[in-house]
Amino acid sequence: MAKVLSGKEVIASMKEKMTARTEALKARGVTPSMCIIRVGARPDDLAYERGARKRMESVGVKLDVLELPEDIEQSLFQREFQRVNEDPAVHGIMLFRPLPSQLSDEPIARAIDPVKDVDCMGPVNIAKVFSGDPTGHAPCTAQAVMEMLDHYDVDLTGKNVTVVGRSMVVGKPLSMMLQKKNATVTMCHTRTLDLAAECRRADIICAAAGHAGMITADMVSTGAIVIDVGINVNEEGKLCGDVAYDEVAAKLGEAGAVSPVPGGVGGVTSSVLTEHVIRAAEMMYGI
Ligand code: NDP
């Protein structure tokens, strides 16, 4: 069976480093602080919020939530956002999306202070990720994949990496970040002619398509590394990834490795978000 790439290990290692940085900030009188802007109370948003709160509090980062009514109109929504954007005590902002249909997030994405834009919604951070400028905040999930690979000492130089999915939150930024680490990246999507062949020739597969169990044993090569970003619910109502875990883990063999769902990339994403808030606070105080 393949080695299990556990998100828990990555989270524990990140926690240690983040706690030290938070303590250093607090010694200077700064408590790194995050504001989540939530319109309404979607169960998915509430679940994410609970996870983020737990992670942030565990390392001394403060989390506030600005809860706005579901029927709020655009002008008031923007005013509320601007208040948080201009508040010097707030270092990181995250807006839960999708928004209700009467609202547009475009003015928010344009207006957000790039330093506070900890989940990369605005054009400045997107441009920085795509141009390889390390001063930006990358999208948290794409960064979480990189943290997993880094934690497990996966050398990307010259490796063939197949990324399945080309969204702006995962696939596209991830492919840029992998290339910055000298990987040769193939991006796949719904129009890819032979997805199985593109996956089979990969040393590393990053699956971010959002289809339960679509990466099967016949699509991977023995010894490959498979990172499963997908979060899906299967026919039995259980949380699962894009990878058919048991058969893929068996095919990869002892030389291979695979991240599980749950227990893989998902939890690391909240740690990355927390790290971005600490980083934003450090940037604001020139540390
Ligand atoms: P999107 O739906 O925005 O994008 C999915 C991408 O996968 C698209 O580019 C699509 O191609 C491609 N795709 C879909 N089906 C196939 C297929 N059968 N073969 C090849 N390519 C396919 O999803 P996201 O990027 O937002 O999320 C992807 C997955 O990651 C989801 O399961 C989501 O839940 C999970 N996720 C996990 C997070 C975490 O914290 N771990 C955070 C964010 C997302 P095309 O462009 O042609 O339509």
Side-chain angles (χ1 to χ4, degrees), residues 126-135 176 180:
I126 292 170
K128 284 185 173 183
V129 173
F130 278 67
S131 66
D133 178 340
T135 64
M176 293 297 148
K180 182 141 199 286

Side-chain angles (χ1 to χ4, degrees), residues 230-254:
I231 299 179
N232 315 294
V233 177
N234 67 13
E235 286 161 359
E236 294 143 32
K238 282 191 181 156
L239 202 64
C240 70
D242 287 358
V243 176
Y245 187 86
D246 291 340
E247 62 177 69
V248 165
K251 172 74 182 289
L252 294 172
E254 280 181 20

Side-chain angles (χ1 to χ4, degrees), residues 48 140-141 144 164-171 188-192 195 207-211 214 228-232 240 242 265-267 269-270:
Y48 189 95
C140 293
T141 306
V164 187
R166 58 175 167 181
S167 74
M168 279 299 285
V169 286
V170 193
C188 297
H189 42 77
T190 53
R191 309 297 171 93
T192 297
L195 179 64
H211 276 274
M214 66 173 278
D228 192 351
V229 184
I231 299 179
N232 315 294
C240 70
D242 287 358
V265 175
T269 305
S270 309

